[in-house]
Amino acid sequence: MRWALVATLMSGIWDTGLRYQSYEDCIRLGVRASYLASQEHGKNFYDIDPETREDYHSVFKCIPSK
């Protein structure tokens, strides 16, 4: 089953278009990829402070894709 990364925005969802083979890959790789895509090159998702990282992480969910 493929998993899709979605952003939950104001009680809705927005499909990021990112698809992964497993839930774990979706969470681990997808959230990191979405962060890196929105930041300047060289920024590492795991270098930001844990509280900010958790805030960012909570915006994204992984759901089974069709």
Side-chain angles (χ1 to χ4, degrees), residues 21-37:
Q21 292 297 328
S22 69
Y23 177 81
E24 290 78 15
D25 284 347
C26 182
I27 289 295
R28 186 172 50 85
L29 301 174
V31 174
R32 181 175 179 273
S34 68
Y35 175 81
L36 293 175

Side-chain angles (χ1 to χ4, degrees), residues 13-48:
I13 62 171
W14 177 70
D15 188 343
T16 63
L18 298 172
R19 301 285 186 276
Y20 296 92
Q21 292 297 328
S22 69
Y23 177 81
E24 290 78 15
D25 284 347
C26 182
I27 289 295
R28 186 172 50 85
L29 301 174
V31 174
R32 181 175 179 273
S34 68
Y35 175 81
L36 293 175
S38 68
Q39 302 297 316
E40 62 188 63
H41 294 289
K43 267 293 204 200
N44 189 329
F45 180 67
Y46 298 103
D47 288 341
I48 62 176

